[in-house]
Amino acid sequence: MSFSFSFGQKSYEFDTLLEYECRFNTSKSDTLVTQYIYTNSKDNSYYITVRGHDKLNYSLEFADIDNYHSVVKVLRSQLFNFNLISIDNCKNVHKMTNRYKSKIRNYAFTIQSDTIISSKTYKSYTLKYLKSKRKKKKNKIGTNHYIIKNNTEYHLPILTHPLTYNEWKKENNIPNGIYKEYFFYNHNDKITNHHKLKKIKQVAVKLNLVKPCPLIITVPTN
């Protein structure tokens, strides 16, 4: 005998499409890729990121930070031509386990002095680890640094990692805005990720997401 729990569909709306040039620099490689991010300017609890998978497909990752996660392939020729994205195979959808909520006490956002780039002034903030440098290096913990594009205060902060998002929810002490540049400094304070904003586009895109496949419990019969 088996029992299954019902599952349905949830919808998400996106009003902004961002294009970033992303450099990933490690001891083994230096890679430059294009990444797209779909966001909702009024709700930063979910997002879509898109990167190249192969010549025919993009890899599309959707995350509802406290709920669901999914990674699927989408044809390059189709993705930006549609206003509706459907993830309808429940096997591609997983429940998010937010193990970072208990860790945010070890981190804090810090507002930096205004950053000047080409004679223009920008707001800036970092997310830093609060424990000792010894623990930072031992646990290989880095630092996030965001430089905010001017005149984008209409958009909530774009925080695609559960730890940064949950720290923002707790403190809510950083300025709104789309990041113009993002830097990740590793535990040795070397830049390993650098994202630069290339384009902002206003869109009206909807994503329909089926919930994860229902849990099936099998009860042995005598």
Side-chain angles (χ1 to χ4, degrees), residues 123-138:
K123 295 178 181 177
S124 177
Y125 56 85
T126 60
L127 181 74
K128 292 184 177 181
Y129 185 60
L130 298 177
K131 300 288 186 176
S132 67
K133 288 185 178 181
R134 181 182 64 81
K135 285 189 175 181
K136 176 183 174 181
K137 287 196 172 186
K138 178 182 177 181

Side-chain angles (χ1 to χ4, degrees), residues 17 25 42 73 101 146 194:
L17 175 60
N25 193 344
K42 305 302 181 187
K73 289 192 294 185
K101 283 187 177 180
Y146 303 83
H194 180 203

Side-chain angles (χ1 to χ4, degrees), residues 102-103 117 196:
S102 62
K103 297 183 178 182
I117 302 175
K196 294 179 68 174

Side-chain angles (χ1 to χ4, degrees), residues 5 22-23 27 74 107 113-114 122 133 136 151 160 181:
F5 296 90
C22 304
R23 183 177 294 277
S27 59
V74 181
Y107 295 82
S113 301
D114 288 345
Y122 300 91
K133 288 185 178 181
K136 176 183 174 181
N151 303 316
T160 57
E181 293 191 59

Side-chain angles (χ1 to χ4, degrees), residues 51-106:
R51 291 185 190 170
H53 178 78
D54 54 35
K55 290 183 178 180
L56 293 178
N57 299 286
Y58 285 116
S59 176
L60 182 150
E61 177 181 8
F62 168 77
D64 177 344
I65 292 174
D66 284 328
N67 290 290
Y68 307 110
H69 178 258
S70 180
V71 178
V72 295
K73 289 192 294 185
V74 181
L75 286 171
R76 287 178 179 262
S77 59
Q78 294 183 354
L79 178 61
F80 299 115
N81 294 325
F82 292 98
N83 293 327
L84 176 63
I85 301 169
S86 293
I87 301 177
D88 51 16
N89 186 340
C90 65
K91 293 181 180 179
N92 292 329
V93 183
H94 308 282
K95 181 67 179 169
M96 291 277 277
T97 55
N98 196 338
R99 65 185 188 275
Y100 296 98
K101 283 187 177 180
S102 62
K103 297 183 178 182
I104 60 175
R105 65 181 181 273
N106 298 326

Side-chain angles (χ1 to χ4, degrees), residues 3 13 16 26 29 50 59 65 88 92 104-105 109 123 127-128 140 146 156 159 166 173 185 203 207:
F3 299 92
E13 295 183 350
T16 307
T26 68
S29 65
V50 178
S59 176
I65 292 174
D88 51 16
N92 292 329
I104 60 175
R105 65 181 181 273
F109 279 112
K123 295 178 181 177
L127 181 74
K128 292 184 177 181
K140 296 185 177 180
Y146 303 83
L156 289 174
L159 305 166
N166 280 286
N173 63 342
Y185 295 82
V203 296
L207 181 142

